[in-house]
């Protein structure tokens, strides 16, 4: 049976999920060895449930030499012993389920670690059954620099391996050889991995590096390409679970989205990389137009599919789909110094330092995150306004441990700092002494309490996840206004991207009766609100009375 035939029994929980991403290694250390672990995460589930999130996305927790922070997997069927055991994982799953929290895990199958036993056997022995698990060449073509993903550290997509006496393909670090997904046996392995974790109760997979699956691979049969593989993966998931979903990491141009969603029979969700880049351009220019244009370029997607909106995640804020000049504007506004930038295409900072800690702007950006069509992704620490540590190399700057309290190491671990696998931010404006959960819980005006509120408001408006959305023209270029409508209910939001306070008139008479729901401050409201007043970087959410 094809996946499309299973669509009728898909559970649509993800259409209005609140997703929270974290790395077990940097969340909570339960045994004082300096490394976060599954028992630590399990202890913090009540905090997450209290915040109102409905789904977790866990970064890779598999055994790994950690050349790429776990995105180099040595064993797909186990838990890195530093983070706990498979038993700890099962306990964690039970407790998450008891709190109604679904768990997405990373599926990293574009490549393995160079230390995976498959690669070890493949390189040693040409006759190994694993040789064709990877992509070899005696004479690889010259690599196109535009295709090199980590240009700061790699200069080719092909690496010569002495033992194998051949070159192997690697899109990412050379310690991450690409799997040969055109080999049906490899596809069988991937199906088994999916089935294994579904059997342990996960709610689905964040699928890593999807656009590279068939890149540079000579596909055996013309008809078996990325689209067929995406349908096969979907079938592997949907044949075992009507709830589980696939969330693809695919930073591609808008014309390519259809390949990933298919007719609702491929990926359930995509990260909104494209709209996110346009959003940052709009924020840098303090003009609504780039965001509106970005959203307007999104195709209509099948009813069962969804966009995952985000502000920042564990990688760089990539700006690769913008022009050089547009990227320059974002750098100038948010990452003016070279060490704040990375890979010639992105920013390696968290949001609050990008905005000089300006609470009004931080709220504005997250209010947009919750209001835009799709569902929101919160990254651990966003809810307390954690900062970055630019003294750390590369993307490690935004991967520092969670800051729980004023206790040593921010309450993350009792181990001495020299034993921490990742160091806590322990000084300055973003040090744990100033930015932590405990202090913000005591403060009614804290960012943490603001997140509580906006999550509650977002949950009351399923029209944002399900509805038809419309961008509304206004008489103020700095104001982004849009409305989401579903089942005769509608929510309208206005966001002022500029520091100039203003009054804004919507160029439509369909919205005469607006009821205040939420905003950056209590505004004087009435039944007929137009023109709408907005403070500097102000935002307002309204229910539309039909
Ligand atoms: C995308 C992940 O988000 C990133 O952290 C990783 O380096 C690459 N894929 C390779 O797995």
């Amino acid at each position: 049976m094809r996946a499309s035939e299973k669509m009728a029994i898909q559970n649509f929980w993800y259409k209005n999920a609140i997703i929270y991403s974290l790395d077990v290694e940097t969340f909570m250390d339960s045994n004082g060895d300096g490394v976060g672990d599954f028992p630590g995460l399990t202890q913090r589930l009540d905090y997450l449930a209290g915040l109102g999130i409905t789904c977790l996305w866990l970064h890779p927790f598999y055994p790994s030499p950690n050349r790429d922070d776990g995105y180099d997997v040595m064993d797909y069927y186990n838990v890195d012993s530093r983070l706990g055991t498979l038993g700890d994982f099962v306990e964690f799953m039970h407790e998450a389920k008891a709190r109604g929290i679904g768990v997405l895990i990373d599926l990293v199958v574009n490549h393995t670690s160079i230390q995976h036993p498959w690669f070890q056997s493949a390189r040693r022995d040409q006759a190994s059954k694993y040789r064709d698990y990877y992509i070899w060449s005696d004479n690889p073509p010259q690599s196109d620099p535009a295709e090199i993903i980590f240009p700061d550290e790699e200069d080719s997509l092909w690496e010569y391996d002495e033992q194998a006496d051949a070159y192997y393909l690697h899109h990412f670090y050379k310690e991450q050889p690409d799997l040969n997904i055109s080999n049906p046996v490899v596809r069988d392995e991937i199906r088994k991995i999916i089935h294994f974790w579904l059997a342990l109760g996960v709610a689905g997979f964040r699928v890593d590096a999807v656009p590279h699956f068939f890149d540079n691979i000579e596909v055996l049969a013309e008809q078996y390409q990325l689209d067929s593989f995406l349908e096969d993966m979907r079938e592997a998931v949907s044949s075992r679970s009507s709830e589980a979903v696939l969330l693809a990491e695919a930073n591609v141009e808008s014309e390519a989205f259809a390949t990933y969603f298919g007719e609702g029979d491929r990926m359930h969700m995509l990260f909104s990389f494209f709209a996110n880049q346009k959003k940052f351009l709009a924020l840098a220019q303090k003009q609504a137009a780039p965001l509106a244009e970005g959203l307007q370029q999104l195709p209509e997607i099948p009813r069962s599919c969804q966009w995952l909106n985000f502000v920042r995640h564990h990688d760089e804020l990539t700006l690769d789909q913008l022009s050089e000049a547009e990227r320059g504007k974002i750098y100038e506004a948010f990452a003016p110094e070279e060490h704040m930038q990375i890979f010639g295409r992105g920013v390696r900072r968290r949001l609050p330092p990008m905005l000089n800690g300006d609470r009004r702007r931080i709220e504005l950006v997250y209010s947009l995150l919750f209001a835009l069509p799709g569902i929101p992704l919160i990254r651990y620490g966003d809810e307390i306004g954690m900062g970055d540590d630019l003294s750390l190399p590369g993307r490690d700057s935004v991967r520092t441990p969670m800051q729980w309290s004023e206790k040593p190491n921010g309450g993350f671990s009792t181990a001495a700092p020299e034993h921490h696998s990742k160091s806590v931010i322990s000084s300055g404006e973003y040090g744990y002494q100033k930015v932590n959960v405990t202090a913000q819980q005591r403060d009614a005006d804290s960012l943490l309490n603001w997140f509580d509120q906006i999550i509650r408001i977002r949950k009351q408006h399923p029209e944002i996840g399900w509805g038809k959305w419309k961008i509304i023209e206004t008489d103020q270029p700095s104001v982004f206004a849009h409305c989401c409508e579903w089942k005769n209910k509608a929510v309208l939001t206005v966001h002022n991207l500029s520091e100039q306070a203003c009054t804004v008139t919507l160029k439509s008479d369909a919205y005469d009766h607006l009821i205040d729901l939420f905003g950056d401050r209590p505004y004087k409201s009435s039944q007929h609100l137009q023109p709408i007043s907005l403070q500097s970087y102000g935002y307002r959410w309204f229910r539309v009375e039909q």
Side-chain angles (χ1 to χ4, degrees):
M1 190 186 335
R2 298 299 307 180
S4 51
E5 296 169 49
K6 305 281 293 184
M7 291 306 300
I9 52 163
Q10 176 74 46
N11 176 321
F12 291 124
W13 64 272
Y14 55 94
K15 288 289 289 188
N16 266 305
I18 311 280
I19 303 191
Y20 187 98
S21 77
L22 63 87
D23 186 351
V24 178
E25 181 180 348
T26 50
F27 203 59
M28 182 65 209
D29 170 17
S30 73
N31 59 358
D33 65 356
V35 185
D37 46 42
F38 273 105
L41 169 58
T42 307
Q43 286 166 18
R44 295 298 151 135
L45 280 171
D46 287 324
Y47 165 78
L48 295 170
L51 187 60
I53 63 118
T54 61
C55 179
L56 283 174
W57 155 31
L58 304 185
H59 292 202
F61 49 74
Y62 313 99
S64 164
N66 274 307
R67 168 67 177 107
D68 187 12
D69 212 17
Y71 283 94
D72 43 335
V73 178
M74 278 169 68
D75 178 0
Y76 289 104
Y77 297 105
N78 220 326
V79 170
D80 180 344
S81 59
R82 300 175 316 139
L83 311 182
T85 63
L86 212 40
D88 294 327
F89 178 82
V90 170
E91 291 303 299
F92 154 75
M93 288 298 298
H94 172 79
E95 295 297 332
K97 192 164 179 212
R99 288 161 181 79
I101 297 177
V103 178
L104 301 181
I105 64 171
D106 244 293
L107 181 69
V108 191
V109 291
N110 173 70
H111 45 266
T112 66
S113 160
I114 200 164
Q115 291 187 34
H116 194 290
W118 296 340
F119 189 79
Q120 291 299 322
S121 168
R123 73 180 345 176
R124 262 195 317 266
D125 178 6
Q126 289 215 14
S128 159
K129 68 173 187 169
Y130 297 110
R131 185 78 170 191
D132 275 348
Y133 276 37
Y134 297 90
I135 301 139
W136 303 97
S137 171
D138 292 330
N139 268 313
Q142 190 76 25
S143 299
D144 172 357
E147 281 190 56
I148 297 174
I149 296 166
F150 298 139
D152 301 10
E153 292 174 69
E154 300 292 345
D155 51 21
S156 170
L157 298 177
W158 296 90
E159 181 70 12
Y160 178 70
D161 187 66
E162 265 184 30
Q163 282 188 59
D165 189 23
Y167 291 83
Y168 61 87
L169 179 70
H170 64 93
H171 275 94
F172 297 91
Y173 294 119
K174 58 171 76 66
E175 295 84 356
Q176 292 167 298
D178 279 21
L179 280 166
N180 177 10
I181 295 179
S182 73
N183 176 351
V185 186
V186 171
R187 300 202 296 267
D188 267 353
E189 297 277 10
I190 295 173
R191 198 171 36 76
K192 275 193 287 184
I193 297 164
I194 290 174
H195 288 167
F196 176 82
W197 292 101
L198 287 177
L200 294 188
V202 302
F205 302 88
R206 179 265 191 192
V207 192
D208 189 62
V210 183
H212 301 293
F213 283 173
F214 287 89
D215 235 11
N216 292 296
I217 301 183
E218 275 178 33
V219 178
L220 299 178
E222 269 296 296
Q223 61 277 39
Y224 197 88
Q225 293 190 354
L226 182 60
D227 39 8
S228 308
F229 181 57
L230 297 180
E231 281 166 21
D232 282 357
M233 278 214 292
R234 172 61 174 267
E235 190 167 294
V237 166
S238 297
S239 63
R240 295 286 166 101
S241 164
S242 59
E243 301 198 353
V245 294
L246 291 162
L247 160 64
E249 188 214 17
N251 176 16
V252 292
E253 291 174 357
S254 54
E255 301 76 54
F257 294 142
T259 304
Y260 293 85
F261 288 126
E263 291 167 24
D265 55 355
R266 295 180 192 165
M267 302 288 104
H268 297 79
M269 290 191 278
L270 289 191
F271 286 85
S272 59
F273 278 102
F274 176 71
N276 198 42
Q277 305 192 26
K278 297 285 188 184
K279 179 173 74 199
F280 272 95
L281 184 60
L283 292 168
Q285 294 186 304
K286 304 184 178 182
Q287 300 273 319
L291 174 58
E293 282 159 21
L295 292 174
Q296 270 149 354
Q297 282 180 50
L298 300 181
E300 198 164 326
I301 60 175
R303 179 171 164 268
S304 61
C305 293
Q306 188 56 294
W307 292 109
L308 179 62
N309 296 312
F310 60 98
V311 172
R312 290 290 291 109
H313 50 50
H314 64 295
D315 289 331
E316 75 283 5
L317 165 64
T318 184
L319 304 170
D320 61 343
Q321 294 200 45
L322 302 178
S323 69
E324 196 68 47
E326 292 171 331
R327 216 171 7 254
K329 286 181 184 148
I330 296 178
Y331 285 155
E332 194 185 331
F334 303 132
E337 292 167 37
E338 215 179 308
H339 73 134
M340 300 167 173
Q341 305 162 13
I342 188 168
F343 304 145
R345 60 164 188 256
V347 174
R348 60 181 203 108
R349 307 183 83 188
R350 277 208 187 228
L351 183 77
M354 286 168 64
L355 302 177
N356 298 320
D358 186 339
R359 171 73 181 264
R360 295 169 310 166
R361 300 182 80 185
I362 295 170
E363 280 185 23
L364 175 81
V365 176
Y366 286 118
S367 171
L368 260 180
L369 168 73
F370 283 91
L372 288 179
I375 57 168
L377 171 71
I378 305 166
R379 169 151 161 78
Y380 78 92
D382 280 354
E383 72 275 27
I384 53 170
M386 266 173 61
D388 47 52
D389 181 349
L390 292 172
S391 71
L392 297 172
R395 295 168 292 167
D396 283 357
S397 52
V398 295
R399 297 173 175 179
T400 60
M402 181 66 177
Q403 297 173 192
W404 294 104
S405 70
E406 296 92 339
K407 288 191 186 154
N409 311 315
F412 158 70
S413 171
T414 55
E418 61 272 24
H419 299 304
H420 293 180
S421 65
K422 298 256 168 76
S423 46
V424 182
I425 300 181
S426 54
S427 63
E429 278 309 294
Y430 298 97
Y432 67 80
Q433 301 88 340
K434 290 195 179 165
V435 177
N436 67 68
V437 171
T438 315
Q440 293 200 19
Q441 258 164 353
R442 289 191 295 256
D443 173 5
D445 293 326
S446 66
L447 188 62
L448 178 59
N449 279 314
W450 181 87
F451 263 86
D452 266 0
Q453 235 182 320
I454 197 156
I455 291 174
R456 189 167 54 246
I457 298 280
R458 173 64 182 77
K459 283 178 156 174
Q460 290 168 13
H461 295 91
E463 51 270 45
I464 299 175
W466 275 112
K468 290 244 172 280
W469 52 273
K470 211 185 300 170
I471 294 169
I472 305 161
E473 271 190 62
T474 79
D475 60 353
Q476 290 290 343
S478 68
V479 175
F480 177 76
H482 79 293
C483 181
C484 300
E485 218 174 317
W486 184 60
K487 291 194 173 171
N488 293 326
K489 284 171 81 188
V491 60
L492 182 149
T493 67
V494 287
H495 290 82
N496 178 11
L497 311 190
S498 144
E499 70 274 29
Q500 300 298 328
C502 65
T503 54
V504 59
T505 302
L506 307 176
K507 293 189 180 166
S508 163
D509 47 18
Y511 308 108
D512 278 349
H513 288 55
L514 302 176
I515 309 292
D516 258 304
L517 287 173
F518 183 62
D520 58 300
R521 66 183 60 216
Y523 286 90
K524 214 167 134 209
S525 65
S526 74
Q527 278 284 309
H528 300 276
L529 279 162
Q530 301 227 36
I532 299 167
S533 49
L534 276 170
Q535 285 300 319
S536 167
Y537 300 118
Y539 55 87
R540 297 177 74 173
W541 292 47
F542 301 104
R543 164 145 309 293
V544 181
E545 286 279 284
Q546 306 276 358

